């Protein structure tokens, strides 16, 4: 079976403030991350706890807490992409995020989300004939959960 080609808005990311006047508002279509050109891989790494003792026959370990790492998002700058990400970074705002991927028939084949904060926000510089870009690193805090794309 062929892989899923990333065309026609088949991967979308949503990002918004976790707490607002509405307390725990869900992500909406207006929270879509605009002009994204790449979203890095993300997932869990389990901490390794050394449980070796003097009686052990060899090195022993057990799995510890999961670390879900970070997501790097690159966007073309068309309006306020840098300003928005950098404001969240400066305020150390806890955000909700969700990523969804769809196949060519528009059916969701992946959806995961959780909470994060903007760890870095960098202006991509300028080159002749190039596009202005912003690259942001989102540090995932807590765990990942299933995410369904918003409809409103």
């Amino acid at each position: 079976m062929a892989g899923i080609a990333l065309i026609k808005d088949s991967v979308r990311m949503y990002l918004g403030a976790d707490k607002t006047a509405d307390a725990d508002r869900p992500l909406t279509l207006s929270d879509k991350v605009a002009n994204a050109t790449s979203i890095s891989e993300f997932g869990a790494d389990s901490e390794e706890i050394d449980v070796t003792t003097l009686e052990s026959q060899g090195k022993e370990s057990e799995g510890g807490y999961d670390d879900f790492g970070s997501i790097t998002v690159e966007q073309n700058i068309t309006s306020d992409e840098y300003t928005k990400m950098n404001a969240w970074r400066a305020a150390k705002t806890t955000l909700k995020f969700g990523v969804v991927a769809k196949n060519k028939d528009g059916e969701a084949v992946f959806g995961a989300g959780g909470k994060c904060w903007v760890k870095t926000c960098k202006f991509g510089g300028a080159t002749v004939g190039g596009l202005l870009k912003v690259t942001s690193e989102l540090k995932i805090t807590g765990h990942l959960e299933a995410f369904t794309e918003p409809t409103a």
Side-chain angles (χ1 to χ4, degrees), residues 11-66:
V11 176
R12 297 183 187 131
M13 180 175 204
Y14 296 85
L15 188 63
D18 183 38
K19 300 285 184 194
T20 64
D22 293 341
D24 225 3
R25 81 170 178 87
L27 292 171
T28 65
L29 290 175
S30 66
D31 294 316
K32 181 180 176 220
V33 174
N35 305 306
T37 58
S38 70
I39 301 169
S40 70
E41 65 180 13
F42 62 97
D45 268 336
S46 292
E47 176 183 36
E48 184 178 322
I49 301 171
D50 186 349
V51 295
T52 308
T53 67
L54 294 175
E55 293 84 23
S56 297
Q57 297 297 312
K59 189 116 173 126
E60 297 179 25
S61 64
E62 292 183 12
Y65 287 109
D66 288 336

Side-chain angles (χ1 to χ4, degrees), residues 1-138:
M1 177 178 270
I4 295 174
L6 299 180
I7 56 173
K8 286 188 141 185
D9 209 21
S10 60
V11 176
R12 297 183 187 131
M13 180 175 204
Y14 296 85
L15 188 63
D18 183 38
K19 300 285 184 194
T20 64
D22 293 341
D24 225 3
R25 81 170 178 87
L27 292 171
T28 65
L29 290 175
S30 66
D31 294 316
K32 181 180 176 220
V33 174
N35 305 306
T37 58
S38 70
I39 301 169
S40 70
E41 65 180 13
F42 62 97
D45 268 336
S46 292
E47 176 183 36
E48 184 178 322
I49 301 171
D50 186 349
V51 295
T52 308
T53 67
L54 294 175
E55 293 84 23
S56 297
Q57 297 297 312
K59 189 116 173 126
E60 297 179 25
S61 64
E62 292 183 12
Y65 287 109
D66 288 336
D67 180 351
F68 291 91
S70 298
I71 304 172
T72 301
V73 180
E74 186 174 86
Q75 296 170 269
N76 291 333
I77 296 177
T78 61
S79 62
D80 67 345
E81 291 84 3
Y82 175 83
T83 304
K84 191 174 193 178
M85 286 290 196
N86 199 47
W88 280 334
R89 182 205 54 78
K92 301 188 178 15
T93 305
T94 299
L95 304 167
K96 288 181 180 179
F97 78 93
V99 176
V100 66
K102 297 181 174 189
N103 64 19
K104 66 181 179 178
D105 297 323
E107 300 163 336
V109 295
F110 174 82
K115 294 185 180 183
C116 67
W117 48 276
V118 180
K119 185 175 178 181
T120 62
C121 180
K122 297 181 180 179
F123 175 71
T127 59
V128 174
L131 294 172
L132 296 177
K133 295 187 178 282
V134 58
T135 302
S136 304
E137 180 183 355
L138 309 175

